[in-house]
Amino acid sequence: EVLARNPRNSKALYRRAVALAGQSKFPEAQRDLKSLLEIEPCNADARSKLAELSQQTRAKRASEKDQAEKMRGFLQGERLDDSVA
């Protein structure tokens, strides 16, 4: 609601970004943080959160890639490792 009236409200942008990140909507959260950094380039909290989200995005992509490779192997008849570490 605040952003509808004032899309450059830095506090609202940050809060929405944190909420979006909590919902695993990383691209949308990163968009808000980048918008915030255009308004306030020295905002340390936004920079820190953006770096954290970038790392989470990389980890999520790596996990998805690993899962896809396991699925591909399964479809090709490879046995999955069922052992517990």
Side-chain angles (χ1 to χ4, degrees), residues 13-14 17 20 26 38 42 49 59-60 62-63 66 68 73 76 79:
L13 280 169
Y14 183 79
L20 289 167
F26 301 131
E38 287 177 11
C42 296
K49 192 61 149 173
K60 184 178 178 184
S63 174
D66 183 50
Q76 292 174 351
R79 178 143 170 84

Side-chain angles (χ1 to χ4, degrees), residues 30-45:
Q30 288 174 324
R31 182 197 63 227
D32 279 353
L33 291 170
K34 287 176 183 177
S35 295
L36 170 55
L37 288 171
E38 287 177 11
I39 299 165
E40 294 182 14
C42 296
N43 188 314
D45 290 334

Side-chain angles (χ1 to χ4, degrees), residues 10 17 19 28 39 47 53 71 78 80:
S10 59
E28 294 90 340
I39 299 165
R47 287 189 179 282
L53 288 178
M71 182 61 74
E78 295 175 12
L80 295 177

